[in-house]
């Protein structure tokens, strides 16, 4: 117990950063609270700002661009840059290393801005994650408001499930496993991939998204696609009550090749619900994944029993006692993966308390309990971006 108390006290001095872009606050002279409550969680205005290509229509500051005399050139006066630093200490009572100074976990350089009125970009370079150089993660061009409609598309590298809920905006250190889990030797997940994403929103609140991606993730930075196959992702969502309730479904179909010839066909399908109330933000998601041959076994060696099915769940509630004006936020998150291939199983329950010390400085205390085994983790620290 004494060691645990010492560990917790030590953690309070450490820093973990938020996935926010302070460069936008500098550009417009606004507080971070305009888009976030708290950083990095997006408010409705923040989501609208992102959808507009990081622009506020009719409120673009003249000082933000250079008048070159060329109407076909929009040149930003300054390149928007921001830094993110992640570092924390975790305590795992049953771990081989009980108290761990994991700092820095990540150092990022972020940039986002406009190329024209209807074209923008976003990128960040992950300089170090667990003491490794990772490279680019989110990096894409975003075309929006095409043909005078709500049609948009992104091309580059992005998270497949960003239209549901960007994982970078979560308040917990515990990730959303529903997006990240893989089965067997498969490279397919609902996390990062490279490709093109098209979106369209009707006047009555229905969103359509269609994505065509490589289907092998971005773990290997030296290989863009490892086989001849592509994956198709589709999503339909309907919003109600001034966009405070959203119900959607996502589907995925893809195929991948193993090293020695066998292939694996993968599908995902499932619903998601988000309810945004003044004091509570509730997310519920479920997907069923099927793999025809995730271990890439040759048919002659295993003619039956090579397919697997997995069910994944995410439930998250963020409680803000004073709504967007809250200084303290409480999060409860439940992650679960049940697979016929037991190595993919995962089940945790996470409790998080976040307190805003400054608008871009957040104190975090978190406990994650492993419901399937002995992985239990305490952590605390500070979160900032600048």
């Amino acid at each position: 117990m004494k060691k645990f108390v010492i560990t917790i006290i030590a953690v309070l001095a450490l820093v973990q950063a938020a996935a926010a872009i302070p460069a936008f606050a500098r550009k417009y002279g606004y507080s971070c609270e305009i888009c976030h409550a708290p950083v990095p969680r997006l408010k409705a205005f923040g989501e609208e700002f992102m959808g507009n290509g990081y622009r506020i229509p009719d409120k673009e500051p003249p000082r933000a661009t250079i008048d070159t005399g060329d109407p076909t050139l929009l040149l930003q006066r300054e390149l928007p840059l921001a830094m993110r630093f992640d570092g924390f200490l975790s305590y795992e009572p049953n771990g081989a290393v009980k108290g761990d100074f994991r700092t820095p976990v990540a150092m990022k350089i972020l940039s986002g801005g406009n190329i024209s009125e209807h074209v923008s970009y976003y990128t960040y370079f992950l300089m170090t994650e667990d003491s490794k150089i990772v490279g680019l993660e989110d990096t894409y061009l975003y075309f929006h408001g095409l043909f005078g409609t709500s049609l948009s598309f992104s091309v580059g590298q992005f998270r497949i499930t960003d239209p549901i809920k960007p994982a970078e905006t979560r308040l917990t250190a515990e990730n959303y496993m529903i997006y990240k889990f893989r089965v067997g030797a498969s490279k397919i997940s609902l996390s990062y991939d490279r490709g093109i994403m098209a979106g369209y929103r009707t006047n009555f609140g229905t969103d359509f998204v269609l994505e065509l991606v490589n289907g092998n993730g971005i773990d290997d930075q030296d290989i863009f696609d490892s086989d001849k196959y592509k994956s198709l992702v589709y999503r339909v969502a309907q919003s109600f009550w001034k966009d405070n309730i959203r119900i959607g479904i996502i589907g995925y179909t893809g195929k991948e090749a193993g090293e020695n010839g066998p292939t694996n066909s993968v599908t995902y399908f499932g619903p998601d619900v988000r309810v945004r109330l003044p004091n509570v933000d509730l997310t519920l998601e479920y997907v069923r994944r099927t793999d025809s041959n995730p271990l890439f076994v040759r048919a002659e060696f295993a003619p039956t029993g090579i397919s697997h099915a997995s069910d994944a769940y995410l439930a998250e509630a963020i409680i803000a006692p004073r709504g967007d004006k809250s200084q303290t936020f409480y999060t409860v998150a439940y992650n679960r993966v049940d697979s016929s291939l037991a190595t993919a199983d995962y089940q945790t329950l996470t409790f998080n308390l976040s307190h805003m010390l400054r608008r871009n400085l957040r104190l975090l205390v978190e406990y994650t309990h492993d419901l399937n085994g002995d992985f239990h983790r305490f952590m605390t620290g500070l979160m900032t971006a600048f």
Side-chain angles (χ1 to χ4, degrees):
M1 183 65 183
K2 182 178 179 181
K3 291 182 179 180
F4 171 70
V5 173
I6 294 174
T7 300
I8 290 299
I9 293 173
V11 174
L12 291 171
L14 297 178
V15 175
Q16 179 176 355
I21 308 295
F24 298 144
R26 285 191 282 270
K27 173 182 176 180
Y28 292 99
Y30 289 163
S31 170
C32 301
E33 70 173 338
I34 296 296
C35 292
H36 300 278
V39 171
R41 173 174 168 258
L42 287 172
K43 296 162 59 174
F45 182 84
E47 293 176 349
E48 183 179 351
F49 175 70
M50 185 170 62
N52 284 330
Y54 312 116
R55 289 172 58 89
I56 302 177
D58 302 323
K59 291 188 178 180
E60 288 296 299
R63 59 180 171 78
T65 58
I66 297 173
D67 185 3
T68 64
D70 184 350
T72 66
L73 177 63
L74 188 154
L75 192 62
Q76 297 181 111
R77 187 174 297 277
E78 299 175 352
L79 182 66
L81 288 175
M83 298 292 293
R84 168 179 169 170
F85 173 78
D86 292 27
F88 58 86
L89 188 152
S90 63
Y91 176 78
E92 300 175 12
N94 299 321
V97 179
K98 298 185 183 300
D100 188 6
F101 286 94
R102 303 186 64 192
T103 179
V105 169
M107 174 67 77
K108 295 182 180 182
I109 298 178
L110 308 96
S111 181
N114 309 118
I115 296 173
S116 74
E117 183 179 353
H118 297 289
V119 183
S120 60
Y121 76 93
Y122 176 77
T123 183
Y124 70 76
F125 184 84
L126 188 53
M127 300 167 62
T128 175
E129 186 174 65
D130 293 329
S131 301
K132 300 175 183 177
I133 299 297
V134 176
L136 295 173
E137 286 198 340
D138 285 289
T139 301
Y140 54 81
L141 291 177
Y142 176 57
F143 300 79
H144 58 96
L146 301 179
F147 311 112
T149 71
S150 65
L151 179 65
S152 66
F153 72 88
S154 302
V155 58
Q157 189 167 285
F158 46 77
R159 288 182 187 265
I160 291 173
T161 51
D162 273 353
I164 301 177
K165 188 172 187 178
E168 288 291 307
T169 65
R170 71 186 187 276
L171 299 184
T172 60
E174 175 74 357
N175 215 321
Y176 297 150
M177 193 54 60
I178 191 172
Y179 303 153
K180 292 179 65 66
F181 83 96
R182 293 173 176 167
V183 179
S186 173
K187 295 182 179 180
I188 290 177
S189 75
L190 294 178
S191 188
Y192 283 108
D193 215 326
R194 302 180 178 101
I196 186 169
M197 177 193 303
Y200 181 80
R201 180 167 231 216
T202 67
N203 293 330
F204 43 89
T206 306
D207 293 292
F208 298 93
V209 176
L210 192 65
E211 304 176 34
L212 185 66
V213 297
N214 282 343
N216 64 329
I218 65 168
D219 287 351
D220 191 340
Q221 295 284 341
D222 297 325
I223 300 175
F224 286 101
D225 201 350
S226 55
D227 55 40
K228 63 182 180 180
Y229 304 108
K230 293 291 182 282
S231 295
L232 182 68
V233 186
Y234 56 92
R235 172 169 166 76
V236 179
Q238 178 64 50
S239 296
F240 307 91
W241 193 32
K242 298 181 179 180
D243 289 346
N244 288 310
I245 297 178
R246 187 191 65 206
I247 300 173
I249 58 170
I250 187 171
Y252 181 113
T253 180
K255 192 174 184 179
E256 58 186 337
E259 293 183 0
N260 300 312
T263 60
N264 178 38
S265 296
V266 178
T267 66
Y268 286 90
F269 188 81
D272 59 88
V273 177
R274 184 174 183 183
V275 180
R276 183 180 283 166
L277 302 175
N279 303 101
V280 178
D281 191 343
L282 177 66
T283 299
L284 299 171
E285 297 181 36
Y286 164 78
V287 293
R288 181 170 181 83
R289 169 174 171 154
T290 62
D291 290 77
S292 65
N293 185 9
L295 298 176
F296 299 100
V297 179
R298 288 186 177 274
E300 60 267 28
F301 299 127
T304 60
I306 60 176
S307 64
H308 290 275
S310 307
D311 298 295
Y313 311 81
L314 169 66
E316 181 185 65
I318 301 173
I319 302 168
R322 298 181 58 226
D324 290 345
K325 299 298 182 181
S326 298
Q327 292 296 107
T328 303
F329 297 79
Y330 306 91
T331 302
V332 180
Y334 176 67
N335 280 280
R336 181 175 178 178
V337 178
D338 287 330
S339 178
S340 58
L341 194 61
T343 54
D345 287 352
Y346 191 88
Q347 188 175 200
T348 61
L349 184 62
T350 298
F351 301 91
N352 174 288
L353 181 149
S354 294
H355 181 73
M356 302 303 296
L357 300 176
R358 300 286 292 176
R359 190 60 62 190
N360 63 335
L361 181 64
R362 177 161 63 96
L363 172 67
L364 176 151
V365 179
E366 182 171 309
Y367 171 67
T368 296
H369 186 82
D370 183 3
L371 298 171
N372 286 349
D374 293 328
F375 166 74
H376 312 302
R377 183 185 67 198
F378 298 87
M379 64 161 293
T380 186
L382 298 170
M383 306 182 75
T384 188
F386 48 89

